[in-house]
């Protein structure tokens, strides 16, 4: 067994599938598991190693599935457990691994645990599953990530904590029963054969004892300020033993099961604590996604990434897009920082330059695919899809939009269904009916997969070429060295094995004369 086989997650290219927008087999306008299964062949031909599926478990869909009401069943919107088994078997027969999304910080308010807690009343052991408190006013000043207070009051007077929507009550991870329940959930899916998990918001699971006020909520809002002490709802030390236990469970199964934490913890030296050898296998390197795309910033981030993750023997991951941020083909087409990126862009905002954005995004992806480590791709970026930036308010579904009265448009713009076949119907082949839970912008027809397949120089073929090169040269397990003689204020160049990558961060045309 070679090293690649041994440590697949150290070098893997993992493709994020957002199930409701990938492919829709039953034509109801919402993507589903049979739709995914039917298109796995096209992912194999893209050249990826694994897929990560955003949540498809039972859910009222108040936060597009990140509000789970049954962790061990498939939501009928997406199919059945049998459909999932077929998807998994098909993926495995194609040599693709499958990671699924686990959402442990909160459940849906329609989960049995929460319904029982509400029914059982104050002081009951059922309420110990969540964070309930008495009081005439919210128990502290915490804010929801989606806007507004992080507390909602029940008719019986008690408040419950939710760092996200009020339909997503936070679990109490101090309660051993919660811990045991999640160990069973892990086993349920591992027994079914999944290759691992992407773990949602693991840094939110621990809460400081006594749930004290956020010391600086005016400045930090719902978030944190880098370099300052941990706020009481993020990064609590108490969570690490939980992940060690999970790691041991994963390791008790054959076949290198792995977990990637969505640990939004900075600086990277702090994030690296989450990928010590007995905790997560990977975390998303959001510093990379957040960094302004300049030679200076990207160089600093890459150096910090190798230093921080290298110090604990973990690989770095690299990520440029996902279902929570503005697609990088649009983000790079204007002056859109991360704050704006995660809040989306609406019809009344300055609009990105699509052509420039795509050129820059493709260059950024090629630059990134040469790096050693593991890379996450988000569905549609291989087509060069832009963000839907002119989505009208009546279509908005992200809870952020409603909770801020439209002040933040939210993340719907990066979640629009994929165009597979140009001009077959209104949804560009997302299904047979043309229905689509979010309307595609007219431009999507021009990015459809069938227009790019086999067309030299298309975004799709460029991704395929780069992914094939990455595999051929085993770059994921490679070495990294700056090619100092070629680097400048606007150019970064590095070597990985026999590959030399040169990236010009400016828009001027440049040529290089190489010795060999
Ligand atoms: C997920 C989001 C989700 C949030 C709450 C995130 O980090 O990626 O899509 O809204 O967690 O579960």
């Amino acid at each position: 067994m070679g090293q690649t086989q041994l440590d697949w997650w150290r070098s893997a290219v993992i493709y994020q599938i957002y199930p409701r927008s990938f492919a829709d087999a039953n034509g109801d306008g919402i993507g589903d598991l049979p739709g995914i299964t039917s298109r796995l062949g096209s992912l194999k031909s893209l050249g990826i190693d694994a897929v990560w599926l955003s949540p498809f478990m039972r859910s009222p869909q108040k936060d597009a599935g990140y509000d789970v009401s049954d962790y061990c069943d498939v939501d009928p919107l997406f199919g059945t457990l049998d459909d999932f088994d077929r998807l998994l078997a098909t993926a495995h027969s194609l040599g693709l691994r499958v990671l699924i999304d686990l959402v442990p910080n909160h459940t849906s308010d329609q989960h049995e645990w929460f319904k029982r807690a509400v029914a059982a009343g104050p002081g009951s052991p059922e309420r110990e599953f969540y964070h309930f408190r008495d009081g005439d006013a919210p128990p502290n000043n915490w804010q929801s990530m989606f806007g507004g207070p992080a507390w909602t009051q029940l008719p019986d007077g008690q408040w419950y904590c939710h760092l996200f929507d009020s339909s997503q009550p936070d679990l109490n991870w101090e309660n051993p029963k919660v811990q045991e329940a999640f160990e069973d959930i892990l086993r349920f899916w591992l027994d079914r054969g999944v290759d691992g998990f992407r773990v949602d918001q693991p840094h939110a699971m621990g809460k400081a004892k006594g749930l004290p006020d956020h010391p600086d909520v005016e400045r930090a809002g719902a978030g944190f300020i880098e370099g300052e002490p941990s706020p009481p709802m993020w990064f609590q030390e108490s969570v690490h033993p939980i992940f060690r236990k999970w790691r041991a469970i994963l390791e008790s199964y054959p076949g290198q099961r792995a977990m990637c934490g969505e640990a939004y913890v900075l600086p990277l030296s702090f994030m690296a604590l989450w990928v010590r050898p007995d905790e997560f296998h990977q975390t998303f390197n959001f510093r990379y996604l957040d960094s302004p795309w300049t030679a200076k910033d990207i160089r600093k981030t890459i150096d910090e990434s190798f230093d921080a993750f290298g110090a604990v023997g973990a690989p770095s991951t690299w990520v440029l897009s996902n279902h929570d941020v503005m697609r990088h083909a649009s983000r790079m087409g204007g002056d859109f920082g991360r704050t704006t990126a995660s809040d989306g862009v609406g019809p009344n905002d300055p609009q990105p330059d699509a052509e420039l954005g795509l050129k820059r995004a493709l260059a950024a992806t090629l630059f990134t695919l040469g790096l050693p480590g593991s890379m996450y791709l988000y569905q549609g970026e291989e087509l060069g899809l832009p963000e839907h930036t002119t989505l009208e308010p009546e279509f908005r579904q992200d809870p952020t939009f409603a909770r801020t009265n439209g002040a933040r448009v939210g993340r719907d713009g990066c979640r629009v269904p994929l165009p597979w076949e140009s001009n077959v119907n209104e949804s560009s082949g997302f299904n047979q009916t043309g229905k689509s839970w979010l309307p595609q912008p007219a431009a999507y027809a021009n990015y459809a997969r069938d227009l790019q397949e086999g067309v030299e120089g298309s975004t799709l073929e460029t991704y395929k070429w780069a992914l094939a090169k990455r595999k051929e040269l085993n770059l994921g397990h490679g070495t990294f060295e700056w090619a100092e003689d070629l680097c400048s204020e606007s150019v970064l160049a590095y070597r990985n094995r026999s590959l030399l990558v040169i990236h010009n961060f400016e828009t001027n045309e440049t040529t290089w004369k190489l010795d060999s």
Side-chain angles (χ1 to χ4, degrees), residues 224-228 266-268 287 304:
F224 71 99
I225 298 169
E226 193 176 341
E228 299 196 8
L266 290 171
L268 289 170
R287 162 69 89 214
E304 277 177 24

Side-chain angles (χ1 to χ4, degrees), residues 88-106:
L88 193 59
T90 310
H92 285 166
S93 73
L94 291 167
L96 298 174
R97 304 196 192 233
V98 178
L99 305 183
I100 63 168
D101 218 308
L102 183 72
V103 187
N105 175 62
H106 43 266

Side-chain angles (χ1 to χ4, degrees), residues 323-392:
H323 68 294
D324 289 329
V325 299
M326 188 174 178
R327 285 182 173 280
H328 67 291
S330 296
R331 208 168 67 228
M332 295 183 168
D335 189 12
F336 302 101
R338 166 73 190 256
T339 314
T340 318
S342 56
D343 286 349
V345 164
N348 302 325
D349 297 318
Q351 297 293 307
D353 176 334
E355 202 184 323
L356 175 66
L358 180 53
K359 272 193 190 157
R360 280 194 172 144
L362 194 51
T365 300
L366 293 176
F367 175 82
T368 309
L369 278 172
L371 295 169
S374 174
M375 169 100 183
Y376 277 81
L377 303 178
Y378 177 50
Q379 67 177 38
E381 64 167 271
E382 75 280 20
L383 304 176
L385 284 190
E387 182 89 353
H388 191 338
T389 51
T390 52
L391 194 64
E392 294 297 336

Side-chain angles (χ1 to χ4, degrees), residues 63 66 106 146 164 198 200-201 262 323-324 411 415:
D63 183 23
Y66 283 92
H106 43 266
F146 295 156
F164 295 89
R198 174 266 190 190
D200 191 65
Q201 297 286 333
E262 190 212 18
H323 68 294
D324 289 329
R411 302 159 293 176
R415 299 176 173 181

